[in-house]
Amino acid sequence: AVDLATDALGVTLPWQAVAGLFWGLSLKSRVFSPLDNARPDLKKAVDGEATRGFNDRIMPSWTPPGVTFPIMWVLVVGPLRALSSTLVWEATGMHLLNPVLLCIMLHLSVGDTWNTVNNVERRLGAAVPGVACVLASACFAATQFYSVSEKAGSLLGLTAVWITVAGLLIADTWRINAAEAGSKWEGEPLFPVKGEVATRFWFEK
């Protein structure tokens, strides 16, 4: 709709508006997900208190301080996604609806689904391959971005570094909590299973 409107009016969106759009989508893409995607409580995470996905389970000793996560997602990963997407927008005729930009939307969708698995449903086992899918989708999007803009692909590729660190933290968290259950074979399996947790949509009570 935005592309049709700008074409009809013969105008082009300012790059600042496009960057703002993708920065907002990077932080709030979950509003388009039908799943319960409630994020961890920022204040509790910063204060080191238990909240969804943080300190509500046994965490590895090398877990970064709670304040690290909002800084990385909001001030580092978000801007990198926004800037790289804006560069792709400029390199592909200044249209928002194009296959390359849809790759970043796929990445955000995978990330939102993983957030439900890890933070809301607390499926510690399934969260491990889940975060691997998030990393794979980030790498795929970066390669597609690189095909039209080397700078865009390189910028988006930097986010994979943080996702890799987050993935290692998720895997180690599963290992520790599985060990507390007796052994890795008695802990949660690395795939979704039917148990006490039920997947719900955000509009369900």
Side-chain angles (χ1 to χ4, degrees):
V2 175
D3 288 340
L4 290 175
T6 54
D7 288 345
L9 295 173
V11 298
T12 302
L13 289 174
W15 71 265
Q16 296 91 336
V18 176
L21 171 64
F22 282 102
W23 185 69
L25 286 172
S26 176
L27 301 180
K28 297 293 184 180
S29 59
R30 63 183 181 275
V31 301
F32 300 103
S33 173
L35 299 174
D36 180 359
N37 267 284
R39 293 308 201 253
D41 185 286
L42 178 59
K43 186 177 185 304
K44 289 184 177 180
V46 171
D47 293 340
E49 300 177 19
T51 182
R52 289 185 172 187
F54 191 81
N55 285 337
D56 62 343
R57 61 203 71 181
I58 302 172
M59 304 291 290
S61 59
W62 60 275
T63 302
V67 70
T68 305
F69 296 90
I71 289 176
M72 288 302 301
W73 289 116
V74 177
L75 300 180
V76 179
V77 175
L80 285 174
R81 288 171 173 171
L83 180 55
S84 60
S85 297
T86 302
L87 291 173
V88 169
W89 171 77
E90 291 178 336
T92 53
M94 297 185 177
H95 285 90
L96 294 172
L97 183 59
N98 70 72
V100 180
L101 285 178
L102 287 178
C103 294
I104 188 69
M105 303 312 297
L106 172 63
H107 169 52
L108 295 177
S109 298
V110 173
D112 288 332
T113 303
W114 171 82
N115 182 76
T116 297
V117 172
N118 183 65
N119 296 337
V120 178
E121 300 178 356
R122 298 184 74 251
R123 299 179 187 268
L124 303 186
V128 177
V131 76
C133 291
V134 177
L135 177 60
S137 66
C139 293
F140 173 72
T143 58
Q144 297 305 303
F145 275 31
Y146 194 88
S147 68
V148 297
S149 170
E150 293 185 4
K151 181 181 289 186
S154 298
L155 289 173
L156 188 60
L158 289 175
T159 66
V161 177
W162 171 244
I163 296 174
T164 299
V165 174
L168 293 173
L169 181 63
I170 293 298
D172 205 21
T173 299
W174 169 78
R175 180 188 64 82
I176 292 173
N177 285 268
E180 287 295 319
S183 71
K184 65 179 182 180
W185 303 114
E186 296 178 14
E188 290 193 24
L190 294 173
F191 51 86
V193 294
K194 185 176 181 180
E196 297 180 359
V197 179
T199 299
R200 298 182 182 278
F201 296 108
W202 63 266
F203 48 81
E204 292 183 302
K205 294 183 179 180

